[in-house]
Amino acid sequence: EYFDNTIKLAPGTDLAAKAAEYLNIMEKGDAQNRWTLNLSVGEQYDSNVVLGPENGPKSANITRESDWRTVLYLKGRYSIFDNQNAESSVAYSLYQSLHNRLSDFNVTQHLMELKGSYELSQKLTLKGMFSTEYVYVGWDDYDYSYSVSPSLMISEGRGLSTEIEYRYKRTRFMDSDLFQSNSDRTGHNNLAGIAQNIPLGRLVSARLGYSYDEDSAAEDFWDYTGNKVDAGLKLYFIKNSLVNLSGEYYNKQYKETAPSETDEREDDVYTASISYTRLLSGRCSITAGQLYTRNDSNIEAYDYKRSITSVFITAKFN
């Protein structure tokens, strides 16, 4: 993954050429193997166990409750084909969280992805992805969704690149004892975004992005428009380690007033994260991270703070 990122972020440089050389050596050593499997196991401390903090309904008995959880993340990928100008792959991932006390909020996620890309020229690459997702909460059905996302990657030289993306997502939410009005949110989302990748040296890269999305739900008071600005910084260190910094501001304006409220809801969501990854070997790494979210809402039920502390060990097999 590090070699692939180097080539994408700094095409045409000596560093990219060296990364390509290592990739060629790896492919010759295992030319017939198209499978990769990643397994991550870790512990998290969550100061505010809520589901779908971006816009989902919260249960009254869980507000501002903290808990530890064990997390398992498994992802398998199969390369359908990969040649000089085009590539395609299919992947399946499983996410499972197991809380220490709040087992009603254990999350199970199944995700299938079909990806492809085609190099139109040295500067233009067309990408596409189709995905389906099924989520359970407390072992009960929560939502099912599918999405289609084409994008265009523009390489401007010297490591600079721009990605333009469109995404359509359709989600069906299911009611349960814990989330009795969840189906009110069933609907679709349209998103358009642009991101700029900027190399800041041989071992540092930055990313700036903006996106606009509209959500249309079964009940009008769940409809919203959103504007998001995000930034990230990656610092690669010589001794097999990486620091990842990111920040995000997301403004969401809801179009109608909910039956129990007097004002239309508006959220200002601030997110900041930092993580440190150390490669222990060619197949194994350890990551420690901290995530902080502040949802500043004019509706009290959706106004909250949340922090998540994580430690994960990841192993790769192929």
Side-chain angles (χ1 to χ4, degrees):
E1 289 89 349
Y2 287 99
F3 294 143
D4 286 333
N5 286 335
T6 301
I7 294 172
K8 291 176 183 177
L9 292 171
T13 64
D14 293 340
L15 194 62
K18 195 67 177 177
E21 180 183 337
Y22 280 114
L23 285 173
N24 288 332
I25 294 173
M26 292 165 62
E27 289 174 359
K28 289 178 182 179
D30 196 12
Q32 302 302 317
N33 193 349
R34 295 184 173 186
W35 288 95
T36 59
L37 180 66
N38 288 275
L39 174 63
S40 296
V41 179
E43 284 290 316
Q44 290 185 326
Y45 177 77
D46 192 337
S47 69
N48 192 353
V49 180
V50 294
L51 180 70
E54 70 280 359
N55 66 353
K58 299 192 297 180
S59 175
N61 64 356
I62 200 67
T63 301
R64 293 175 175 83
E65 288 284 348
S66 59
D67 198 10
W68 287 90
R69 60 173 168 259
T70 300
V71 175
L72 169 70
Y73 180 72
L74 177 70
K75 183 173 184 178
R77 177 181 177 272
Y78 177 75
S79 176
I80 301 173
F81 64 85
D82 187 355
N83 56 42
Q84 187 175 0
N85 296 320
E87 64 176 354
S88 179
S89 64
V90 61
Y92 164 77
S93 61
L94 168 67
Y95 171 93
Q96 180 65 63
S97 65
L98 298 170
H99 287 87
N100 183 38
R101 294 183 296 108
L102 304 172
S103 59
D104 286 345
F105 287 82
N106 292 342
V107 174
T108 307
Q109 178 206 49
H110 300 277
L111 177 65
M112 290 286 296
E113 297 175 312
L114 177 63
K115 294 182 178 180
S117 68
Y118 181 76
E119 189 176 290
L120 301 173
S121 67
Q122 287 187 340
K123 294 185 177 295
L124 297 177
T125 301
L126 183 65
K127 299 182 178 182
M129 181 178 70
F130 173 80
S131 66
T132 62
E133 178 188 50
Y134 211 109
V135 177
Y136 300 86
V137 178
W139 318 114
D140 291 328
D141 294 338
Y142 185 78
D143 75 52
Y144 164 76
S145 66
Y146 68 86
S147 65
V148 180
S149 178
S151 63
L152 181 66
M153 177 70 78
I154 306 170
S155 298
E156 290 118 5
R158 296 187 177 183
L160 288 169
S161 65
T162 302
E163 187 167 6
I164 302 171
E165 177 190 17
Y166 167 76
R167 187 199 68 197
Y168 172 82
K169 184 176 184 179
R170 178 78 184 182
T171 306
R172 178 192 171 197
F173 293 92
M174 281 79 89
D175 295 333
S176 65
D177 291 341
L178 196 59
F179 300 99
Q180 298 181 5
S181 60
N182 201 29
S183 59
D184 292 347
R185 302 166 58 205
T186 294
H188 63 271
N189 181 278
N190 286 279
L191 177 146
I194 185 169
Q196 180 75 49
N197 297 303
I198 308 168
L200 301 175
R202 294 184 60 191
L203 301 175
V204 182
S205 64
R207 181 186 185 278
L208 297 174
Y210 167 78
S211 64
Y212 171 83
D213 70 311
E214 289 191 358
D215 201 88
S216 178
E219 294 292 342
D220 291 343
F221 55 84
W222 282 112
D223 294 353
Y224 71 84
T225 59
N227 289 273
K228 181 188 294 184
V229 179
D230 63 272
L233 190 67
K234 290 185 178 181
L235 299 92
Y236 298 86
F237 292 94
I238 296 176
K239 294 184 178 180
N240 301 323
S241 58
L242 165 69
V243 173
N244 198 335
L245 303 168
S246 65
E248 179 183 291
Y249 168 70
Y250 192 12
N251 173 263
K252 303 176 74 172
Q253 296 186 355
Y254 289 80
K255 299 180 179 180
E256 300 290 341
T257 304
S260 59
E261 305 296 338
T262 58
D263 298 317
E264 293 179 3
R265 178 182 162 194
E266 181 176 358
D267 289 4
D268 291 307
V269 188
Y270 304 88
T271 304
S273 68
I274 181 172
S275 67
Y276 172 80
T277 299
R278 176 68 183 245
L279 296 178
L280 303 177
S281 68
R283 295 185 181 274
C284 188
S285 65
I286 185 170
T287 299
Q290 183 69 42
L291 172 70
Y292 175 79
T293 301
R294 171 71 172 103
N295 193 76
D296 185 7
S297 178
N298 63 330
I299 305 299
E300 184 179 358
Y302 297 94
D303 188 274
Y304 66 88
K305 299 176 182 178
R306 186 185 194 187
S307 62
I308 301 175
T309 304
S310 306
V311 177
F312 280 91
I313 293 179
T314 301
K316 180 180 179 181
F317 308 93
N318 57 9

CSV table of all heavy atoms in Angstrom, one decimal, residues 51 57-59 61 103-106 134-143 172-186:
chain,number,residue,atom,x,y,z
A,51,LEU,N,-25.0,5.9,17.6
A,51,LEU,CA,-24.9,5.3,16.2
A,51,LEU,C,-25.2,6.4,15.2
A,51,LEU,O,-26.1,7.2,15.4
A,51,LEU,CB,-26.0,4.2,16.1
A,51,LEU,CG,-26.0,3.5,14.7
A,51,LEU,CD1,-24.7,2.7,14.6
A,51,LEU,CD2,-27.2,2.7,14.6
A,57,PRO,N,-30.8,9.0,14.5
A,57,PRO,CA,-31.5,9.1,15.8
A,57,PRO,C,-30.8,8.5,16.9
A,57,PRO,O,-30.2,7.4,16.7
A,57,PRO,CB,-32.9,8.5,15.5
A,57,PRO,CG,-32.6,7.4,14.5
A,57,PRO,CD,-31.5,8.0,13.6
A,58,LYS,N,-30.8,9.1,18.1
A,58,LYS,CA,-30.1,8.5,19.3
A,58,LYS,C,-31.2,8.1,20.3
A,58,LYS,O,-32.2,8.6,20.5
A,58,LYS,CB,-29.2,9.6,19.9
A,58,LYS,CG,-28.1,10.1,19.0
A,58,LYS,CD,-27.2,10.9,19.8
A,58,LYS,CE,-27.8,12.2,20.4
A,58,LYS,NZ,-26.9,13.0,21.2
A,59,SER,N,-30.8,7.0,20.9
A,59,SER,CA,-31.7,6.4,22.0
A,59,SER,C,-31.5,7.2,23.3
A,59,SER,O,-30.4,7.6,23.6
A,59,SER,CB,-31.4,5.0,22.2
A,59,SER,OG,-32.1,4.5,23.3
A,61,ASN,N,-31.7,6.4,26.3
A,61,ASN,CA,-30.9,5.8,27.4
A,61,ASN,C,-29.4,5.6,27.1
A,61,ASN,O,-28.7,5.0,27.9
A,61,ASN,CB,-31.5,4.4,27.8
A,61,ASN,CG,-31.4,3.4,26.7
A,61,ASN,OD1,-31.0,3.8,25.6
A,61,ASN,ND2,-31.9,2.2,26.9
A,103,SER,N,-24.0,-3.8,24.9
A,103,SER,CA,-24.1,-4.8,23.9
A,103,SER,C,-25.2,-4.5,22.9
A,103,SER,O,-25.2,-5.0,21.7
A,103,SER,CB,-24.2,-6.2,24.4
A,103,SER,OG,-25.4,-6.3,25.2
A,104,ASP,N,-26.2,-3.8,23.3
A,104,ASP,CA,-27.3,-3.4,22.3
A,104,ASP,C,-26.8,-2.6,21.2
A,104,ASP,O,-27.5,-2.4,20.2
A,104,ASP,CB,-28.4,-2.6,23.1
A,104,ASP,CG,-29.3,-3.5,23.9
A,104,ASP,OD1,-29.2,-4.8,23.8
A,104,ASP,OD2,-30.0,-3.0,24.8
A,105,PHE,N,-25.6,-2.0,21.3
A,105,PHE,CA,-25.0,-1.1,20.3
A,105,PHE,C,-23.8,-1.8,19.6
A,105,PHE,O,-23.0,-1.1,18.9
A,105,PHE,CB,-24.6,0.2,20.9
A,105,PHE,CG,-25.8,1.1,21.2
A,105,PHE,CD1,-26.5,0.9,22.4
A,105,PHE,CD2,-26.3,2.0,20.3
A,105,PHE,CE1,-27.7,1.6,22.6
A,105,PHE,CE2,-27.4,2.8,20.6
A,105,PHE,CZ,-28.1,2.6,21.7
A,106,ASN,N,-23.7,-3.1,19.7
A,106,ASN,CA,-22.7,-3.8,18.9
A,106,ASN,C,-23.1,-3.7,17.4
A,106,ASN,O,-24.3,-3.8,17.0
A,106,ASN,CB,-22.7,-5.3,19.2
A,106,ASN,CG,-22.2,-5.6,20.6
A,106,ASN,OD1,-21.5,-4.7,21.2
A,106,ASN,ND2,-22.5,-6.7,21.1
A,134,TYR,N,-24.7,-3.9,4.3
A,134,TYR,CA,-25.7,-4.4,5.2
A,134,TYR,C,-25.2,-4.2,6.6
A,134,TYR,O,-24.1,-4.6,7.0
A,134,TYR,CB,-26.1,-5.8,5.0
A,134,TYR,CG,-27.6,-6.1,5.2
A,134,TYR,CD1,-28.5,-6.4,4.2
A,134,TYR,CD2,-28.1,-6.1,6.6
A,134,TYR,CE1,-29.8,-6.6,4.5
A,134,TYR,CE2,-29.4,-6.3,6.8
A,134,TYR,CZ,-30.3,-6.6,5.8
A,134,TYR,OH,-31.6,-6.8,6.0
A,135,VAL,N,-26.0,-3.5,7.5
A,135,VAL,CA,-25.6,-3.2,8.8
A,135,VAL,C,-26.6,-3.7,9.8
A,135,VAL,O,-27.8,-3.6,9.6
A,135,VAL,CB,-25.4,-1.7,9.0
A,135,VAL,CG1,-25.1,-1.3,10.5
A,135,VAL,CG2,-24.4,-1.1,8.1
A,136,TYR,N,-26.1,-4.3,10.9
A,136,TYR,CA,-26.9,-4.8,12.0
A,136,TYR,C,-26.5,-4.0,13.3
A,136,TYR,O,-25.3,-3.8,13.4
A,136,TYR,CB,-26.8,-6.3,12.3
A,136,TYR,CG,-27.1,-7.2,11.2
A,136,TYR,CD1,-26.2,-7.5,10.2
A,136,TYR,CD2,-28.4,-7.8,11.1
A,136,TYR,CE1,-26.6,-8.4,9.1
A,136,TYR,CE2,-28.8,-8.6,10.1
A,136,TYR,CZ,-27.8,-8.9,9.1
A,136,TYR,OH,-28.2,-9.7,8.0
A,137,VAL,N,-27.4,-3.7,14.1
A,137,VAL,CA,-27.1,-3.1,15.4
A,137,VAL,C,-27.7,-3.9,16.5
A,137,VAL,O,-28.9,-4.1,16.5
A,137,VAL,CB,-27.6,-1.6,15.5
A,137,VAL,CG1,-27.2,-1.0,16.9
A,137,VAL,CG2,-26.9,-0.8,14.4
A,138,GLY,N,-26.9,-4.4,17.5
A,138,GLY,CA,-27.5,-5.2,18.5
A,138,GLY,C,-28.1,-6.5,17.9
A,138,GLY,O,-29.1,-7.0,18.4
A,139,TRP,N,-27.5,-7.0,16.8
A,139,TRP,CA,-27.9,-8.2,16.0
A,139,TRP,C,-29.3,-8.0,15.4
A,139,TRP,O,-29.8,-8.9,14.8
A,139,TRP,CB,-27.9,-9.4,17.0
A,139,TRP,CG,-26.8,-9.5,17.9
A,139,TRP,CD1,-26.8,-9.4,19.2
A,139,TRP,CD2,-25.4,-9.6,17.5
A,139,TRP,NE1,-25.5,-9.4,19.7
A,139,TRP,CE2,-24.6,-9.5,18.7
A,139,TRP,CE3,-24.7,-9.7,16.3
A,139,TRP,CZ2,-23.2,-9.7,18.7
A,139,TRP,CZ3,-23.3,-9.8,16.3
A,139,TRP,CH2,-22.6,-9.8,17.5
A,140,ASP,N,-29.8,-6.8,15.4
A,140,ASP,CA,-31.1,-6.5,14.6
A,140,ASP,C,-30.8,-5.7,13.3
A,140,ASP,O,-29.8,-5.0,13.3
A,140,ASP,CB,-32.0,-5.6,15.5
A,140,ASP,CG,-32.6,-6.3,16.7
A,140,ASP,OD1,-32.8,-7.6,16.6
A,140,ASP,OD2,-32.8,-5.7,17.7
A,141,ASP,N,-31.6,-5.9,12.3
A,141,ASP,CA,-31.4,-5.2,11.1
A,141,ASP,C,-31.4,-3.7,11.3
A,141,ASP,O,-32.3,-3.2,12.0
A,141,ASP,CB,-32.5,-5.5,10.1
A,141,ASP,CG,-32.5,-7.0,9.6
A,141,ASP,OD1,-31.4,-7.6,9.7
A,141,ASP,OD2,-33.5,-7.5,9.2
A,142,TYR,N,-30.5,-3.0,10.7
A,142,TYR,CA,-30.5,-1.5,10.9
A,142,TYR,C,-30.6,-0.8,9.5
A,142,TYR,O,-31.5,0.1,9.3
A,142,TYR,CB,-29.2,-1.1,11.5
A,142,TYR,CG,-29.1,0.4,11.8
A,142,TYR,CD1,-29.8,1.0,12.9
A,142,TYR,CD2,-28.4,1.3,11.0
A,142,TYR,CE1,-29.8,2.3,13.1
A,142,TYR,CE2,-28.4,2.7,11.2
A,142,TYR,CZ,-29.1,3.2,12.3
A,142,TYR,OH,-29.1,4.5,12.5
A,143,ASP,N,-29.7,-1.1,8.5
A,143,ASP,CA,-29.9,-0.5,7.2
A,143,ASP,C,-29.3,-1.4,6.1
A,143,ASP,O,-28.4,-2.2,6.4
A,143,ASP,CB,-29.4,0.9,7.2
A,143,ASP,CG,-27.9,1.0,7.1
A,143,ASP,OD1,-27.2,0.4,6.3
A,143,ASP,OD2,-27.3,1.8,7.9
A,172,ARG,N,-32.0,1.9,2.7
A,172,ARG,CA,-33.2,1.5,3.3
A,172,ARG,C,-32.9,1.3,4.8
A,172,ARG,O,-32.2,0.4,5.1
A,172,ARG,CB,-33.8,0.3,2.7
A,172,ARG,CG,-35.1,-0.2,3.3
A,172,ARG,CD,-35.5,-1.6,2.9
A,172,ARG,NE,-36.6,-2.1,3.7
A,172,ARG,CZ,-36.9,-3.4,3.7
A,172,ARG,NH1,-36.2,-4.3,3.0
A,172,ARG,NH2,-37.9,-3.8,4.5
A,173,PHE,N,-33.6,2.1,5.6
A,173,PHE,CA,-33.4,1.9,7.1
A,173,PHE,C,-34.6,1.1,7.6
A,173,PHE,O,-35.7,1.2,7.2
A,173,PHE,CB,-33.4,3.3,7.8
A,173,PHE,CG,-32.2,4.1,7.5
A,173,PHE,CD1,-32.2,5.0,6.4
A,173,PHE,CD2,-31.0,4.0,8.2
A,173,PHE,CE1,-31.1,5.7,6.1
A,173,PHE,CE2,-29.9,4.7,7.9
A,173,PHE,CZ,-29.9,5.6,6.9
A,174,MET,N,-34.2,0.2,8.6
A,174,MET,CA,-35.2,-0.7,9.2
A,174,MET,C,-35.5,-0.3,10.7
A,174,MET,O,-34.6,0.0,11.4
A,174,MET,CB,-34.8,-2.1,9.1
A,174,MET,CG,-35.0,-2.8,7.7
A,174,MET,SD,-33.7,-2.3,6.6
A,174,MET,CE,-32.4,-3.5,6.9
A,175,ASP,N,-36.8,-0.4,11.1
A,175,ASP,CA,-37.1,-0.2,12.5
A,175,ASP,C,-36.7,-1.3,13.4
A,175,ASP,O,-36.7,-2.5,12.9
A,175,ASP,CB,-38.6,0.1,12.6
A,175,ASP,CG,-39.1,1.3,11.8
A,175,ASP,OD1,-38.3,2.3,11.7
A,175,ASP,OD2,-40.3,1.4,11.4
A,176,SER,N,-36.5,-1.0,14.6
A,176,SER,CA,-36.2,-2.0,15.6
A,176,SER,C,-36.7,-1.5,17.0
A,176,SER,O,-37.2,-0.4,17.1
A,176,SER,CB,-34.7,-2.3,15.7
A,176,SER,OG,-34.0,-1.2,16.2
A,177,ASP,N,-36.6,-2.4,18.0
A,177,ASP,CA,-37.1,-1.9,19.3
A,177,ASP,C,-36.3,-0.7,19.8
A,177,ASP,O,-36.8,0.1,20.5
A,177,ASP,CB,-36.9,-3.1,20.3
A,177,ASP,CG,-37.8,-4.2,20.1
A,177,ASP,OD1,-38.9,-4.0,19.4
A,177,ASP,OD2,-37.6,-5.4,20.5
A,178,LEU,N,-35.0,-0.7,19.5
A,178,LEU,CA,-34.2,0.4,19.9
A,178,LEU,C,-34.3,1.7,19.1
A,178,LEU,O,-34.3,2.8,19.5
A,178,LEU,CB,-32.7,0.0,19.9
A,178,LEU,CG,-31.7,0.9,20.7
A,178,LEU,CD1,-32.1,1.0,22.2
A,178,LEU,CD2,-30.3,0.3,20.6
A,179,PHE,N,-34.6,1.5,17.7
A,179,PHE,CA,-34.7,2.6,16.8
A,179,PHE,C,-36.1,2.5,16.1
A,179,PHE,O,-36.1,2.0,15.0
A,179,PHE,CB,-33.6,2.6,15.8
A,179,PHE,CG,-32.2,2.8,16.4
A,179,PHE,CD1,-31.4,1.7,16.7
A,179,PHE,CD2,-31.8,4.0,16.8
A,179,PHE,CE1,-30.2,1.8,17.2
A,179,PHE,CE2,-30.5,4.2,17.4
A,179,PHE,CZ,-29.7,3.1,17.6
A,180,GLN,N,-37.1,2.9,16.8
A,180,GLN,CA,-38.5,2.6,16.3
A,180,GLN,C,-38.9,3.4,15.1
A,180,GLN,O,-39.8,3.0,14.4
A,180,GLN,CB,-39.4,2.8,17.5
A,180,GLN,CG,-39.2,1.8,18.6
A,180,GLN,CD,-40.2,2.0,19.8
A,180,GLN,OE1,-41.1,2.7,19.7
A,180,GLN,NE2,-39.9,1.2,20.9
A,181,SER,N,-38.3,4.6,14.9
A,181,SER,CA,-38.7,5.4,13.7
A,181,SER,C,-37.5,5.5,12.7
A,181,SER,O,-37.4,6.4,11.9
A,181,SER,CB,-39.1,6.8,14.2
A,181,SER,OG,-38.0,7.4,14.9
A,182,ASN,N,-36.7,4.5,12.7
A,182,ASN,CA,-35.5,4.5,11.8
A,182,ASN,C,-35.9,4.6,10.3
A,182,ASN,O,-35.2,5.2,9.5
A,182,ASN,CB,-34.6,3.3,12.1
A,182,ASN,CG,-33.2,3.5,11.6
A,182,ASN,OD1,-32.7,4.6,11.6
A,182,ASN,ND2,-32.6,2.4,11.3
A,183,SER,N,-37.0,3.9,10.0
A,183,SER,CA,-37.4,3.9,8.6
A,183,SER,C,-37.8,5.2,8.0
A,183,SER,O,-37.8,5.4,6.8
A,183,SER,CB,-38.6,2.9,8.4
A,183,SER,OG,-39.7,3.3,9.2
A,184,ASP,N,-38.0,6.2,8.8
A,184,ASP,CA,-38.3,7.6,8.4
A,184,ASP,C,-37.1,8.1,7.5
A,184,ASP,O,-37.3,9.0,6.7
A,184,ASP,CB,-38.5,8.5,9.5
A,184,ASP,CG,-39.8,8.2,10.3
A,184,ASP,OD1,-40.6,7.4,9.7
A,184,ASP,OD2,-40.0,8.7,11.4
A,185,ARG,N,-35.9,7.6,7.7
A,185,ARG,CA,-34.7,8.1,7.0
A,185,ARG,C,-34.5,7.5,5.7
A,185,ARG,O,-33.6,7.9,5.0
A,185,ARG,CB,-33.5,8.0,7.9
A,185,ARG,CG,-33.6,8.6,9.3
A,185,ARG,CD,-32.6,8.1,10.2
A,185,ARG,NE,-31.2,8.4,9.7
A,185,ARG,CZ,-30.2,7.6,10.1
A,185,ARG,NH1,-30.3,6.6,10.9
A,185,ARG,NH2,-29.0,7.9,9.6
A,186,THR,N,-35.3,6.5,5.3
A,186,THR,CA,-35.1,5.8,4.0
A,186,THR,C,-35.1,6.7,2.9
A,186,THR,O,-36.0,7.6,2.8
A,186,THR,CB,-36.1,4.7,3.9
A,186,THR,OG1,-36.0,3.7,4.9
A,186,THR,CG2,-36.0,4.1,2.5
